[in-house]
Amino acid sequence: MEKSVSPRQHGLIPIMSFTTIGIEPVRRLTIGVSYIGYLGLYKDSERKTYYQTQGIGGECGWQLFKAKKDGTFWDKGDEIDIRARYGHSIGGGDLKYDLYDAAIIYRYMRSVIDLSLAVGYRFINSHSSEVRNHSNVYLGIGIGI
């Protein structure tokens, strides 16, 4: 599960949540499917409102580094991954979109629950006339089991 927030762009602050089920079919490669929750807080000089929708997506990740022993900056099990993600809105939500995402992720894997911190770039291609396309650098925090 991952939550992310991006800076305001075109009057909109996108807040997104991803619930992902993934597998590791071969060593270092992960693939998964996600349920996407989208909440866009909107404010301009005349009004405040929000856009809410949901989506589905797929992702693919690759493990760049995994610490095999404790070191100065790393402990055994810590890893760095890269990830690419695509998502598409579904249902009758307020916003129709395609989502493209790329991130680098640090995973802190020293217990049963692993924590992650992601820094990435996301482009949302809006299919709604009220909301323009937007792209953001974002921070994400994740919890995995």
Side-chain angles (χ1 to χ4, degrees), residues 1 19-22 107 109 111-116 142-145:
M1 181 172 243
T19 303
T20 304
I21 297 173
R107 296 191 191 282
M109 303 178 67
S111 64
V112 175
I113 296 176
D114 64 307
L115 303 173
S116 63
I143 298 174
I145 52 173

Side-chain angles (χ1 to χ4, degrees), residues 4-80:
S4 66
V5 64
S6 301
R8 181 184 311 270
Q9 187 178 50
H10 308 303
L12 185 74
I13 298 175
I15 302 169
M16 305 196 77
S17 65
F18 296 86
T19 303
T20 304
I21 297 173
I23 60 170
E24 189 175 345
V26 295
R27 189 173 164 258
R28 302 177 79 170
L29 175 70
T30 57
I31 57 173
V33 295
S34 299
Y35 166 79
I36 305 166
Y38 179 98
L39 176 64
L41 303 177
Y42 184 79
K43 180 183 177 188
D44 64 13
S45 61
E46 300 175 18
R47 64 187 172 124
K48 290 183 190 178
T49 189
Y50 67 93
Y51 297 97
Q52 188 172 7
T53 192
Q54 57 191 352
I56 57 172
E59 65 180 57
C60 182
W62 185 258
Q63 182 187 91
L64 295 174
F65 169 79
K66 184 168 187 170
K68 299 196 184 320
K69 61 182 181 175
D70 292 343
T72 306
F73 299 107
W74 312 101
D75 285 334
K76 186 175 181 178
D78 290 358
E79 63 183 58
I80 295 178

